[in-house]
Amino acid sequence: MSRLSERPEKPVVGLPVPHESAVLHVTGAALYTDDLIHRTKDVLHAYPVQVMKAHGRITALRTGPALAVPGVVRVLTGADVPGVNDAGMKHDEPLFPDEVMFHGHAVAWVLAETLEAARLGAAAVEVDVDEQPSLITLQEAIAAGSLHGARPVMLTGDVDAGFADSAHVFTGELQFSDQEHFYLETHAALAYVDEAEQVFVQSSTQHPSETQEIVAHVLGLHSHEVTVQCLRMGGGFGGKEMQPHGFAAVAALGARLTGRPVRVRLNRTQDLTMSGKRHGFHAEWRIGFDADGRIQALDATLTADGGWSLDLSEPVVARALCHVDNTYWIPNARITGRIARTNKVSNTAFRGFGGPQGMLVIEDIMGRCAPLLGLDPMELRERNFYRQGQATPYGQPVLQPERISAVWRQVKENAGIADRRREIDAFNAAHPNTKRALAITGLKFGISFNLTAFNQGGALVLIYKDGSVLINHGGTEMGQGLHTKMLQVAATTLGIPLHKVRLAPTRTDKVPNTSATAASAGTDLNGAAVKNACEQLRERLQQVAATRLGSNAADVRIVEGVARGLGSDEELAWDDLVRTAYLQRVQLSAAGFYRTEGLHWDAKTFRGSPFKYFAHGAAAAEVEVDGFTGAYRIRRVDIVHDVGDSLSPMIDIGQVEGGFVQGAGWLTLEDLRWDVGDGPSRGRLLTQAASTYKIPSFSEMPAEFNVTLLKNAGEEGAVYGSKAVGEPPLMLAFSVREALRQAAAAFGPSGAGVELASPATPEAVYWAIQAARRGGVSRIGSTPDGSAAEGHARNGHAADGRIRADAAASNGA
């Protein structure tokens, strides 16, 4: 086992410890960015001037009326920017735009003594707009050819030959919804300038180094003149990877111009209408199977709704393409990716970062095609699992295909699948108006940033004379437990009790040039960097201890805060060891660094090995559906998930549970709606609050929820043998959607295929039930106002893009 993976005697990692801020969270003592204004003197409040048009050119901006409002101090406009008027990394996101690109676009910011004065001042600003035509829906953008960014193509094998060799060929399309992050804490920043003109920004950001970079270029400064700190976030889910930069820049610009601290904090409606979402996608596909139901070829085009600017759309589409295969070997594939430009908020990272969108395409295909092939969906999936020696469509070998089968078998055992399916059959036979179904889906999710340069992490570890330890690292805490794991890694590496270690807030002047806490790589990168720094310190201290103990340094072990030499009864307490090292002028601080090895990626050819390893998991979900309304409940969920050798089991189980529920929300509940009419409010987000946008709550939780971490699953070459856990569990929720599909199908004749909208709301399930009762294939699309509408198709009728069996290639499917 490698030095990075090997665990020492009596490690602190692996223990089920509580979240390091749990007590602060539940008592309300935890401080977030906006809480800091109460500890800051003379704060000005910023409020956006939003233009309520989907698209238009600004012909006049009159700020004078705002300055007449009592309490208003200044109105920030593009003329105030000393550097680059842009908040994005692609230089396509003007901070103060002269063209409105979505309904609610902020074109100026008002600074005032109170938030109410700032609001009134913003309402007083006069903006004249020459309204332009707008594209709101993905379909409108595709029809208009409104695309931007890269158009990657992933190609493997001979696609035409694969289809020629297929006994069954099906074509179809799928459009699925975007998703709002709905973190508890909205976007927030607090900035001030000190006596040396150093700009200090507190920001709720997943990427402090990039926030620092954007603030610096907006202000026309160098990065060493800007410090960004993230104390903690009240949720992020990817929504705070790129989008906080502009809000931090507004606060910093205001502080620089007024000499006073400036606070930006969006209310919920502003956050919903101004910040990006998960990318909705449209997919057109053609798939071929052999006579035994094994995939022979896949040809698909995936189009993401990027919104008005690129943001992270290009890497999101790249990751979607890299995850179209999920757990299935596809020998011949041609997958094309595109980004549609619409007049909506700029869509951005969201837990899974394109992976869920890519996987949903293949899981939807498997669920739709199984009855057409005369196969049980579980059997169809099992037949197509990766096997040893096979590689992904982009050329990366799948080195642990046995784990795909291992988690699948274990979840079937844990869930008692065979017995429960018999019980479900009996229940369905006895209940004509209520049906139950049980489905299993698995996942294979690549861990690492697709952009190789981001796969690096840094840390700074300090040991003080009294033996206490302070660690700094480049990752940010958004409730996911990263800081807890870093404390455990440091205590384990140094060989001391957990209470000896404390963690400092993430700051760019302690650890520079860090990557975003994203891609599920936070623990891998920062944990390895913390371990590296602690190893440097431990080796120095072992030299000191060896002299005191009369041993060789290589024979000294530090365990539970006591240093001992092998074969010796003498020992030296940690505090005494540290004090001795200080007196001997031994350096008691170390900077750690880690770069993920073995990665290579060619974005032009779409080939390489972009991932360090794959995380695996499987979930079995049972649902019950009401045939009159389409309403449903999740009766039971069983999950087996591969987190390697867990660093912190309580944290990991919580991540699995939370990720699964968030995924179920995306697939079944969360339904963003925009006004797509031609009236004055065209482009307006209609679901602007929790009253109209439904996120999962306790009532949506499974009545029985069982999560098991795969045992004996240590990952070679990862910090203490662990695996990433943040994003992969979200995709286990495909099991809920597939169970709903099968429950709807149970209302119709045996073998009927069912198409299901995403999100599979009760309304969508109702239409699927109606189609199943008629024995056909249901297609749920969207009407112009965004509401669900029923379509209907049978095999052989595909003019509208619905699933069909290709008559020329199908053998009676």
Side-chain angles (χ1 to χ4, degrees), residues 158-159 161-163 165-168 287-291 293-298 329-333 384:
D158 187 329
V159 177
F163 280 114
D165 292 339
S166 298
H168 308 279
I287 193 165
F289 295 89
D290 69 12
R294 291 186 175 84
I295 298 172
Q296 297 300 297
L298 175 64
W329 184 53
I330 307 174
N332 306 289
N384 284 284

Side-chain angles (χ1 to χ4, degrees), residues 418-431 436:
D419 291 340
R420 286 171 59 203
R421 291 183 84 176
R422 285 191 289 270
E423 293 170 3
I424 288 170
D425 288 343
F427 177 90
N428 288 349
H431 295 81
R436 293 175 181 172

Side-chain angles (χ1 to χ4, degrees), residues 60 230 236 298 302 363 368 408 455 458 527 623 655 673 694 698 799:
C230 178
L298 175 64
L302 276 58
E363 290 301 335
R368 288 160 76 168
W408 187 271
N455 295 291
V623 299
Q655 284 290 285
R673 302 286 183 92
K694 184 170 177 55
F698 287 115

